[in-house]
Amino acid sequence: MRYSVLITLVASLASTAALAQTSTTTTITTEQQSKVRTYVMKEKPASMKVTETVSVGTALPSSVTLHTLPSDVGVTQYRFAVINDKTVLVEPGTRKIVQIIE
């Protein structure tokens, strides 16, 4: 009996950890990624150089300008920036990178 309770507890903790990890990443559709790429290529915002690592979950410094996306792109809850020649989607409240658009 104790063994089955322990297994249930471990499984529960593992699924909670997996859920916490997935909630910090954002996946937008392939179509939305294409629209973001097209918009950024059209607008050509300057790429800002930062020395920090550019990866999902890291917060951008306040010196980085965040740009809005038009509503037809479909991801207006995020802002974008071009950092070290990479387009990143950013959560505006925390300035954390939620996705890198390849």
Side-chain angles (χ1 to χ4, degrees):
M1 177 74 164
R2 287 183 185 174
Y3 184 71
S4 64
V5 170
L6 180 60
I7 289 174
T8 302
L9 179 60
V10 169
S12 174
L13 289 173
S15 65
T16 301
L19 179 61
Q21 287 177 343
T22 57
S23 67
T24 59
T25 59
T26 299
T27 303
I28 62 172
T29 66
T30 304
E31 181 182 358
Q32 289 169 322
Q33 287 182 38
S34 178
K35 287 180 178 182
V36 169
R37 263 189 242 100
T38 300
Y39 179 77
V40 171
M41 286 173 54
K42 181 181 127 199
E43 294 299 314
K44 298 179 180 156
S47 178
M48 304 204 57
K49 302 296 180 199
V50 296
T51 56
E52 295 87 353
T53 302
V54 178
S55 62
V56 172
T58 59
L60 294 176
S62 60
S63 60
V64 172
T65 302
L66 301 181
H67 305 278
T68 58
L69 290 161
S71 60
D72 65 329
V73 172
V75 288
T76 55
Q77 70 273 33
Y78 301 114
R79 303 296 177 263
F80 80 93
V82 180
I83 306 297
N84 302 339
D85 298 319
K86 295 180 183 180
T87 301
V88 296
L89 287 182
V90 179
E91 190 175 70
T94 62
R95 300 184 66 84
K96 286 186 180 179
I97 297 171
V98 295
Q99 188 162 4
I100 298 172
I101 306 294
E102 299 294 335

